Amino acid sequence: MGRIITIANQKGGVGKTTTAVNLGASIAAAERTVLVVDIDPQANATSNLGIDPNSLRYSTYDVILEACRADEAVVSSELDFLDVLPSCKDLAGAEVELVGADNNAYRMRKALGTLRDKYDFIVIDCPPSLGFLTLNALCAADAVIVPLQCEYFALEGLGRLLETIGMIRHEMNPALVVDGILLTMYDRRTSLSEQVAKEVRENFEGRVFEAIIPRNVRLSESPSFGKPGILYDVRSAGAQGYLDFAREYMEIRQ
């Protein structure tokens, strides 16, 4: 049965989509089957994996509204072991359309339950909020990975996110755990990145992954070409950072 991992942080610009796409791609490169689920209406994970959100027959919007089965919305990616459950801008209206619906926080959990046996890992990319869509992702997940940028306001909001995860574990999804915090956008040229990384490790001892994702131009360029880092430039520091992270994560979750 596949492990469902939600990549979550209510702050924008911390590397959620980059992490979901590149963790998924790096695991797939090890010939483990992966499904990347995009539940962000911006559909950045979808386009980053070479899929046009405007060309879809079905998307996560249709899945959450139960207008189609999850497997009907799944599409293949350029990588042999990586599939995508894509998003589109219509997803932004799902919360309004599901007001008052039964079990509306568990729609994604129900849908992904039908796919767990097909994949080793299911990775969910969330929007930058703690709203309805992120709630669906956290109720569906076995675990959360929190990307945290190595910048001045890194810890701002992290406490609230962990409190929210604790509340969801207590009230809605008892199996949910935090697999760890991933340090992203690390700039070796600045002492600030080093200071932030040190502070995070001290404050969350044992909960921070050893792998660190560096700030990297080639990794930042890859979404505009519809490719994860390992297909755009596997030798880049960013792609190598995610390969290191994927190896570390798979060793932990063997």
Side-chain angles (χ1 to χ4, degrees):
M1 181 178 290
R3 185 171 183 80
I4 301 178
I5 311 157
T6 287
I7 312 297
N9 191 325
Q10 75 271 26
K11 284 178 65 65
V14 301
K16 286 187 299 297
T17 297
T18 302
T19 295
V21 167
N22 287 281
L23 174 62
S26 297
I27 292 174
E31 299 187 351
R32 305 288 297 276
T33 53
V34 182
L35 176 69
V36 171
V37 179
D38 189 351
I39 61 165
D40 186 344
Q42 296 178 88
N44 290 333
T46 299
S47 58
N48 196 165
L49 288 165
I51 298 158
D52 180 2
N54 298 311
S55 68
L56 302 170
R57 181 184 179 192
Y58 296 122
S59 70
T60 45
Y61 170 74
D62 302 287
V63 172
I64 283 181
L65 263 64
E66 299 183 341
C68 73
R69 300 191 313 270
D71 65 308
E72 293 179 296
V74 170
V75 295
S76 300
S77 77
E78 193 174 345
L79 285 160
D80 288 341
F81 291 86
L82 179 63
D83 290 340
V84 185
L85 207 170
S87 180
C88 69
K89 63 181 184 299
D90 293 339
L91 186 59
E95 182 170 9
V96 175
E97 295 182 56
L98 287 173
V99 169
D102 291 338
N103 295 318
N104 59 8
Y106 296 95
R107 294 293 182 98
M108 191 54 65
R109 179 176 182 171
K110 178 181 176 182
L112 295 182
T114 66
L115 297 175
R116 290 184 72 128
D117 290 339
K118 186 177 178 182
Y119 297 97
D120 295 316
F121 295 94
I122 296 175
V123 182
I124 308 177
D125 181 36
C126 294
S129 72
L130 293 177
F132 167 77
L133 295 171
T134 300
L135 177 62
N136 254 268
L138 292 172
C139 286
D142 300 308
V144 185
I145 291 173
V146 181
L148 193 71
Q149 81 279 32
C150 293
E151 295 178 359
Y152 184 71
F153 292 111
L155 297 177
E156 187 178 275
L158 181 58
R160 182 186 170 203
L161 174 62
L162 295 176
E163 286 175 7
T164 299
I165 292 169
M167 179 194 71
I168 291 170
R169 181 191 302 119
H170 183 260
E171 298 182 5
M172 308 177 80
N173 183 6
L176 184 65
V177 299
V178 177
D179 270 347
I181 298 166
L182 175 67
L183 296 171
T184 64
M185 303 180 186
Y186 184 88
D187 190 340
R188 300 182 188 280
R189 300 169 299 179
T190 70
S191 59
L192 177 61
S193 283
E194 184 178 348
Q195 291 168 3
V196 170
K198 181 181 178 182
E199 184 175 352
V200 173
R201 291 194 187 280
E202 288 175 351
N203 281 279
F204 298 94
E205 186 176 357
R207 303 179 76 180
V208 184
F209 292 106
E210 289 299 320
I212 295 179
I213 309 303
R215 187 178 292 278
N216 180 245
V217 172
R218 298 296 279 174
L219 189 65
S220 299
E221 290 174 347
S222 63
S224 63
F225 291 87
K227 294 179 181 293
I230 62 169
L231 291 184
Y232 182 65
D233 185 353
V234 70
R235 294 172 295 179
S236 68
Q240 289 297 313
Y242 275 109
L243 286 168
D244 289 343
F245 175 47
R247 281 191 287 267
E248 179 182 353
Y249 189 74
M250 285 188 289
E251 285 175 5
I252 293 169
R253 291 300 168 193
Q254 286 290 354

Tab-separated table of all heavy atoms in Angstrom, residues 18-34 36 49 77 79 81-82 121 123 182 213 219 227-231 233-234 236-250:
chain	number	residue	atom	x	y	z
A	18	THR	N	7.944	22.887	-5.930
A	18	THR	CA	9.262	22.395	-6.341
A	18	THR	C	9.594	21.093	-5.623
A	18	THR	O	10.126	20.149	-6.215
A	18	THR	CB	10.338	23.452	-6.042
A	18	THR	OG1	10.009	24.654	-6.732
A	18	THR	CG2	11.710	22.985	-6.484
A	19	THR	N	9.252	21.022	-4.338
A	19	THR	CA	9.516	19.808	-3.565
A	19	THR	C	8.627	18.656	-4.016
A	19	THR	O	9.109	17.528	-4.200
A	19	THR	CB	9.320	20.089	-2.065
A	19	THR	OG1	10.302	21.040	-1.640
A	19	THR	CG2	9.459	18.819	-1.237
A	20	ALA	N	7.330	18.914	-4.201
A	20	ALA	CA	6.425	17.842	-4.632
A	20	ALA	C	6.863	17.263	-5.973
A	20	ALA	O	6.949	16.037	-6.148
A	20	ALA	CB	4.998	18.380	-4.729
A	21	VAL	N	7.165	18.140	-6.923
A	21	VAL	CA	7.548	17.694	-8.263
A	21	VAL	C	8.883	16.968	-8.248
A	21	VAL	O	9.031	15.873	-8.818
A	21	VAL	CB	7.606	18.908	-9.222
A	21	VAL	CG1	8.303	18.543	-10.529
A	21	VAL	CG2	6.200	19.431	-9.503
A	22	ASN	N	9.871	17.553	-7.585
A	22	ASN	CA	11.217	16.993	-7.659
A	22	ASN	C	11.436	15.812	-6.728
A	22	ASN	O	12.230	14.919	-7.042
A	22	ASN	CB	12.239	18.103	-7.416
A	22	ASN	CG	12.333	19.043	-8.597
A	22	ASN	OD1	12.968	18.731	-9.601
A	22	ASN	ND2	11.677	20.188	-8.495
A	23	LEU	N	10.727	15.768	-5.613
A	23	LEU	CA	10.758	14.549	-4.793
A	23	LEU	C	10.113	13.410	-5.571
A	23	LEU	O	10.666	12.307	-5.640
A	23	LEU	CB	10.031	14.771	-3.475
A	23	LEU	CG	9.866	13.522	-2.594
A	23	LEU	CD1	11.214	12.950	-2.180
A	23	LEU	CD2	9.020	13.843	-1.354
A	24	GLY	N	8.944	13.677	-6.156
A	24	GLY	CA	8.270	12.648	-6.950
A	24	GLY	C	9.130	12.150	-8.089
A	24	GLY	O	9.268	10.936	-8.316
A	25	ALA	N	9.749	13.077	-8.824
A	25	ALA	CA	10.584	12.698	-9.960
A	25	ALA	C	11.820	11.927	-9.518
A	25	ALA	O	12.233	10.957	-10.177
A	25	ALA	CB	10.990	13.945	-10.743
A	26	SER	N	12.417	12.330	-8.405
A	26	SER	CA	13.628	11.661	-7.923
A	26	SER	C	13.327	10.249	-7.428
A	26	SER	O	14.126	9.330	-7.629
A	26	SER	CB	14.272	12.494	-6.811
A	26	SER	OG	14.680	13.754	-7.299
A	27	ILE	N	12.180	10.060	-6.789
A	27	ILE	CA	11.783	8.708	-6.378
A	27	ILE	C	11.495	7.851	-7.606
A	27	ILE	O	11.878	6.680	-7.671
A	27	ILE	CB	10.561	8.764	-5.445
A	27	ILE	CG1	10.929	9.408	-4.110
A	27	ILE	CG2	9.987	7.363	-5.205
A	27	ILE	CD1	9.747	9.643	-3.185
A	28	ALA	N	10.832	8.455	-8.605
A	28	ALA	CA	10.533	7.714	-9.841
A	28	ALA	C	11.815	7.309	-10.566
A	28	ALA	O	11.871	6.247	-11.201
A	28	ALA	CB	9.656	8.567	-10.754
A	29	ALA	N	12.848	8.140	-10.461
A	29	ALA	CA	14.128	7.813	-11.094
A	29	ALA	C	14.752	6.567	-10.478
A	29	ALA	O	15.563	5.887	-11.120
A	29	ALA	CB	15.094	8.987	-10.977
A	30	ALA	N	14.350	6.266	-9.245
A	30	ALA	CA	14.810	5.038	-8.574
A	30	ALA	C	13.885	3.863	-8.890
A	30	ALA	O	13.977	2.807	-8.252
A	30	ALA	CB	14.879	5.262	-7.065
A	31	GLU	N	13.005	4.050	-9.866
A	31	GLU	CA	12.074	3.027	-10.349
A	31	GLU	C	11.083	2.591	-9.286
A	31	GLU	O	10.690	1.425	-9.211
A	31	GLU	CB	12.828	1.836	-10.942
A	31	GLU	CG	13.697	2.227	-12.130
A	31	GLU	CD	14.321	1.035	-12.846
A	31	GLU	OE1	14.216	-0.101	-12.331
A	31	GLU	OE2	14.899	1.250	-13.923
A	32	ARG	N	10.676	3.547	-8.457
A	32	ARG	CA	9.552	3.354	-7.539
A	32	ARG	C	8.375	4.125	-8.113
A	32	ARG	O	8.528	5.254	-8.586
A	32	ARG	CB	9.889	3.867	-6.136
A	32	ARG	CG	11.156	3.263	-5.543
A	32	ARG	CD	10.973	1.814	-5.138
A	32	ARG	NE	9.992	1.655	-4.089
A	32	ARG	CZ	10.236	1.799	-2.792
A	32	ARG	NH1	11.443	2.156	-2.379
A	32	ARG	NH2	9.291	1.613	-1.886
A	33	THR	N	7.193	3.542	-8.073
A	33	THR	CA	6.033	4.171	-8.698
A	33	THR	C	5.509	5.324	-7.840
A	33	THR	O	5.358	5.194	-6.631
A	33	THR	CB	4.911	3.147	-8.922
A	33	THR	OG1	4.632	2.477	-7.684
A	33	THR	CG2	5.314	2.128	-9.976
A	34	VAL	N	5.235	6.457	-8.505
A	34	VAL	CA	4.844	7.680	-7.817
A	34	VAL	C	3.657	8.323	-8.536
A	34	VAL	O	3.594	8.354	-9.775
A	34	VAL	CB	6.007	8.696	-7.781
A	34	VAL	CG1	5.595	9.955	-7.007
A	34	VAL	CG2	7.263	8.095	-7.181
A	36	VAL	N	1.957	12.113	-8.406
A	36	VAL	CA	1.935	13.482	-7.897
A	36	VAL	C	0.519	14.014	-8.059
A	36	VAL	O	-0.035	14.014	-9.160
A	36	VAL	CB	2.938	14.388	-8.638
A	36	VAL	CG1	2.741	15.849	-8.232
A	36	VAL	CG2	4.372	13.955	-8.332
A	49	LEU	N	5.309	19.455	-14.713
A	49	LEU	CA	5.516	18.083	-15.197
A	49	LEU	C	5.088	17.921	-16.649
A	49	LEU	O	4.848	16.821	-17.124
A	49	LEU	CB	4.777	17.102	-14.286
A	49	LEU	CG	5.450	16.937	-12.914
A	49	LEU	CD1	4.531	16.256	-11.916
A	49	LEU	CD2	6.759	16.154	-13.046
A	77	SER	N	3.372	11.030	-17.179
A	77	SER	CA	4.365	12.089	-17.341
A	77	SER	C	5.486	11.580	-18.242
A	77	SER	O	5.447	10.457	-18.739
A	77	SER	CB	4.938	12.506	-15.984
A	77	SER	OG	5.883	11.552	-15.527
A	79	LEU	N	8.358	10.798	-17.284
A	79	LEU	CA	9.097	9.770	-16.555
A	79	LEU	C	8.270	8.493	-16.459
A	79	LEU	O	7.079	8.538	-16.144
A	79	LEU	CB	9.440	10.253	-15.148
A	79	LEU	CG	10.578	11.276	-15.057
A	79	LEU	CD1	10.508	12.023	-13.741
A	79	LEU	CD2	11.925	10.580	-15.202
A	81	PHE	N	7.973	6.043	-14.361
A	81	PHE	CA	7.376	5.607	-13.102
A	81	PHE	C	6.590	6.711	-12.400
A	81	PHE	O	6.217	6.555	-11.238
A	81	PHE	CB	8.469	5.065	-12.170
A	81	PHE	CG	9.067	3.764	-12.644
A	81	PHE	CD1	10.127	3.765	-13.543
A	81	PHE	CD2	8.560	2.547	-12.215
A	81	PHE	CE1	10.675	2.572	-13.997
A	81	PHE	CE2	9.105	1.350	-12.654
A	81	PHE	CZ	10.157	1.359	-13.553
A	82	LEU	N	6.322	7.796	-13.098
A	82	LEU	CA	5.662	8.949	-12.486
A	82	LEU	C	4.380	9.316	-13.229
A	82	LEU	O	4.402	9.631	-14.417
A	82	LEU	CB	6.605	10.154	-12.487
A	82	LEU	CG	6.048	11.453	-11.906
A	82	LEU	CD1	5.712	11.297	-10.428
A	82	LEU	CD2	7.038	12.595	-12.093
A	121	PHE	N	4.417	5.602	-3.689
A	121	PHE	CA	4.274	6.885	-3.015
A	121	PHE	C	3.274	7.757	-3.764
A	121	PHE	O	3.286	7.800	-5.000
A	121	PHE	CB	5.618	7.641	-2.939
A	121	PHE	CG	6.654	6.965	-2.093
A	121	PHE	CD1	7.585	6.111	-2.664
A	121	PHE	CD2	6.704	7.180	-0.721
A	121	PHE	CE1	8.554	5.485	-1.898
A	121	PHE	CE2	7.668	6.555	0.059
A	121	PHE	CZ	8.588	5.707	-0.526
A	123	VAL	N	2.286	11.779	-3.689
A	123	VAL	CA	2.783	13.060	-3.181
A	123	VAL	C	1.783	14.153	-3.558
A	123	VAL	O	1.500	14.362	-4.737
A	123	VAL	CB	4.170	13.390	-3.768
A	123	VAL	CG1	4.691	14.700	-3.183
A	123	VAL	CG2	5.157	12.254	-3.501
A	182	LEU	N	11.967	20.116	5.663
A	182	LEU	CA	12.997	20.147	4.621
A	182	LEU	C	13.457	21.587	4.430
A	182	LEU	O	12.650	22.456	4.065
A	182	LEU	CB	12.452	19.591	3.306
A	182	LEU	CG	13.396	19.690	2.105
A	182	LEU	CD1	14.617	18.791	2.303
A	182	LEU	CD2	12.662	19.318	0.810
A	213	ILE	N	18.154	21.715	0.330
A	213	ILE	CA	17.971	22.097	-1.072
A	213	ILE	C	18.551	23.493	-1.280
A	213	ILE	O	18.071	24.468	-0.688
A	213	ILE	CB	16.481	22.083	-1.459
A	213	ILE	CG1	15.825	20.759	-1.072
A	213	ILE	CG2	16.342	22.369	-2.948
A	213	ILE	CD1	16.472	19.517	-1.654
A	219	LEU	N	17.356	24.943	-11.256
A	219	LEU	CA	16.128	24.389	-10.685
A	219	LEU	C	14.974	25.366	-10.857
A	219	LEU	O	13.840	24.965	-11.156
A	219	LEU	CB	16.343	24.085	-9.200
A	219	LEU	CG	15.242	23.307	-8.491
A	219	LEU	CD1	15.106	21.897	-9.054
A	219	LEU	CD2	15.529	23.239	-6.986
A	227	LYS	N	9.594	20.632	-17.012
A	227	LYS	CA	10.406	19.478	-16.638
A	227	LYS	C	10.828	19.583	-15.172
A	227	LYS	O	11.143	20.673	-14.697
A	227	LYS	CB	11.664	19.389	-17.504
A	227	LYS	CG	11.406	19.098	-18.979
A	227	LYS	CD	12.708	19.057	-19.747
A	227	LYS	CE	12.470	18.800	-21.221
A	227	LYS	NZ	11.945	17.443	-21.467
A	228	PRO	N	10.888	18.450	-14.470
A	228	PRO	CA	11.519	18.462	-13.138
A	228	PRO	C	13.020	18.645	-13.301
A	228	PRO	O	13.570	18.485	-14.403
A	228	PRO	CB	11.176	17.084	-12.582
A	228	PRO	CG	10.960	16.220	-13.785
A	228	PRO	CD	10.401	17.120	-14.848
A	229	GLY	N	13.685	18.969	-12.201
A	229	GLY	CA	15.108	19.276	-12.261
A	229	GLY	C	15.961	18.176	-12.859
A	229	GLY	O	16.897	18.448	-13.606
A	230	ILE	N	15.644	16.918	-12.557
A	230	ILE	CA	16.504	15.829	-13.046
A	230	ILE	C	16.419	15.641	-14.557
A	230	ILE	O	17.334	15.092	-15.158
A	230	ILE	CB	16.205	14.493	-12.334
A	230	ILE	CG1	14.771	14.031	-12.589
A	230	ILE	CG2	16.527	14.570	-10.865
A	230	ILE	CD1	14.514	12.609	-12.148
A	231	LEU	N	15.330	16.109	-15.178
A	231	LEU	CA	15.228	16.030	-16.643
A	231	LEU	C	15.764	17.290	-17.301
A	231	LEU	O	16.232	17.250	-18.442
A	231	LEU	CB	13.773	15.807	-17.068
A	231	LEU	CG	13.174	14.441	-16.735
A	231	LEU	CD1	11.763	14.325	-17.299
A	231	LEU	CD2	14.040	13.299	-17.280
A	233	ASP	N	18.256	19.472	-15.897
A	233	ASP	CA	19.715	19.491	-15.715
A	233	ASP	C	20.054	18.668	-14.479
A	233	ASP	O	20.102	19.176	-13.360
A	233	ASP	CB	20.229	20.920	-15.559
A	233	ASP	CG	21.758	20.993	-15.487
A	233	ASP	OD1	22.406	19.930	-15.432
A	233	ASP	OD2	22.297	22.118	-15.481
A	234	VAL	N	20.262	17.382	-14.688
A	234	VAL	CA	20.466	16.464	-13.560
A	234	VAL	C	21.737	16.790	-12.782
A	234	VAL	O	21.855	16.456	-11.603
A	234	VAL	CB	20.484	15.003	-14.054
A	234	VAL	CG1	21.737	14.709	-14.869
A	234	VAL	CG2	20.348	14.031	-12.878
A	236	SER	N	22.767	19.775	-11.995
A	236	SER	CA	22.645	21.025	-11.240
A	236	SER	C	22.581	20.737	-9.747
A	236	SER	O	22.179	19.663	-9.305
A	236	SER	CB	21.393	21.787	-11.670
A	236	SER	OG	20.219	21.100	-11.277
A	237	ALA	N	22.970	21.744	-8.960
A	237	ALA	CA	22.976	21.578	-7.500
A	237	ALA	C	21.568	21.319	-6.977
A	237	ALA	O	21.383	20.544	-6.027
A	237	ALA	CB	23.570	22.822	-6.842
A	238	GLY	N	20.560	21.959	-7.588
A	238	GLY	CA	19.177	21.761	-7.140
A	238	GLY	C	18.690	20.346	-7.383
A	238	GLY	O	18.094	19.716	-6.499
A	239	ALA	N	18.938	19.823	-8.581
A	239	ALA	CA	18.519	18.455	-8.897
A	239	ALA	C	19.240	17.452	-7.995
A	239	ALA	O	18.633	16.498	-7.495
A	239	ALA	CB	18.800	18.149	-10.369
A	240	GLN	N	20.526	17.673	-7.764
A	240	GLN	CA	21.283	16.775	-6.898
A	240	GLN	C	20.788	16.849	-5.459
A	240	GLN	O	20.750	15.843	-4.756
A	240	GLN	CB	22.773	17.121	-6.966
A	240	GLN	CG	23.425	16.764	-8.287
A	240	GLN	CD	23.406	15.270	-8.574
A	240	GLN	OE1	23.741	14.463	-7.707
A	240	GLN	NE2	22.995	14.893	-9.775
A	241	GLY	N	20.372	18.044	-5.024
A	241	GLY	CA	19.815	18.185	-3.690
A	241	GLY	C	18.562	17.347	-3.508
A	241	GLY	O	18.388	16.683	-2.479
A	242	TYR	N	17.685	17.346	-4.510
A	242	TYR	CA	16.456	16.555	-4.402
A	242	TYR	C	16.728	15.060	-4.547
A	242	TYR	O	16.032	14.244	-3.920
A	242	TYR	CB	15.411	17.031	-5.408
A	242	TYR	CG	14.623	18.196	-4.865
A	242	TYR	CD1	14.792	19.475	-5.377
A	242	TYR	CD2	13.742	18.028	-3.800
A	242	TYR	CE1	14.102	20.557	-4.857
A	242	TYR	CE2	13.042	19.099	-3.270
A	242	TYR	CZ	13.221	20.364	-3.805
A	242	TYR	OH	12.534	21.425	-3.267
A	243	LEU	N	17.729	14.681	-5.329
A	243	LEU	CA	18.105	13.269	-5.390
A	243	LEU	C	18.621	12.798	-4.026
A	243	LEU	O	18.282	11.702	-3.577
A	243	LEU	CB	19.162	13.047	-6.472
A	243	LEU	CG	18.654	13.097	-7.920
A	243	LEU	CD1	19.824	13.152	-8.899
A	243	LEU	CD2	17.768	11.891	-8.233
A	244	ASP	N	19.420	13.640	-3.368
A	244	ASP	CA	19.897	13.311	-2.020
A	244	ASP	C	18.718	13.184	-1.052
A	244	ASP	O	18.675	12.269	-0.219
A	244	ASP	CB	20.855	14.396	-1.511
A	244	ASP	CG	22.190	14.378	-2.217
A	244	ASP	OD1	22.519	13.364	-2.870
A	244	ASP	OD2	22.912	15.401	-2.141
A	245	PHE	N	17.784	14.117	-1.147
A	245	PHE	CA	16.626	14.082	-0.258
A	245	PHE	C	15.795	12.830	-0.498
A	245	PHE	O	15.349	12.170	0.454
A	245	PHE	CB	15.773	15.334	-0.466
A	245	PHE	CG	14.485	15.330	0.313
A	245	PHE	CD1	14.466	14.988	1.657
A	245	PHE	CD2	13.277	15.657	-0.301
A	245	PHE	CE1	13.280	14.980	2.384
A	245	PHE	CE2	12.095	15.649	0.410
A	245	PHE	CZ	12.086	15.308	1.750
A	246	ALA	N	15.567	12.476	-1.763
A	246	ALA	CA	14.777	11.279	-2.080
A	246	ALA	C	15.441	10.023	-1.534
A	246	ALA	O	14.771	9.137	-0.986
A	246	ALA	CB	14.588	11.161	-3.594
A	247	ARG	N	16.775	9.949	-1.660
A	247	ARG	CA	17.490	8.791	-1.107
A	247	ARG	C	17.322	8.728	0.404
A	247	ARG	O	17.061	7.661	0.964
A	247	ARG	CB	18.977	8.868	-1.488
A	247	ARG	CG	19.279	8.417	-2.900
A	247	ARG	CD	20.765	8.260	-3.126
A	247	ARG	NE	21.421	9.554	-3.220
A	247	ARG	CZ	21.646	10.199	-4.358
A	247	ARG	NH1	21.251	9.668	-5.500
A	247	ARG	NH2	22.253	11.372	-4.367
A	248	GLU	N	17.460	9.878	1.069
A	248	GLU	CA	17.300	9.915	2.519
A	248	GLU	C	15.884	9.508	2.914
A	248	GLU	O	15.694	8.712	3.841
A	248	GLU	CB	17.598	11.326	3.042
A	248	GLU	CG	17.426	11.459	4.545
A	248	GLU	CD	17.678	12.871	5.062
A	248	GLU	OE1	18.129	13.737	4.268
A	248	GLU	OE2	17.411	13.118	6.260
A	249	TYR	N	14.912	10.018	2.207
A	249	TYR	CA	13.529	9.730	2.564
A	249	TYR	C	13.198	8.255	2.352
A	249	TYR	O	12.532	7.637	3.195
A	249	TYR	CB	12.569	10.603	1.744
A	249	TYR	CG	11.149	10.493	2.217
A	249	TYR	CD1	10.748	11.109	3.416
A	249	TYR	CD2	10.195	9.731	1.547
A	249	TYR	CE1	9.467	10.985	3.892
A	249	TYR	CE2	8.910	9.606	2.011
A	249	TYR	CZ	8.540	10.237	3.187
A	249	TYR	OH	7.265	10.098	3.665
A	250	MET	N	13.652	7.693	1.240
A	250	MET	CA	13.356	6.282	0.980
A	250	MET	C	14.061	5.371	1.977
A	250	MET	O	13.530	4.323	2.340
A	250	MET	CB	13.723	5.925	-0.461
A	250	MET	CG	12.734	6.469	-1.475
A	250	MET	SD	13.030	5.845	-3.157
A	250	MET	CE	14.538	6.712	-3.580
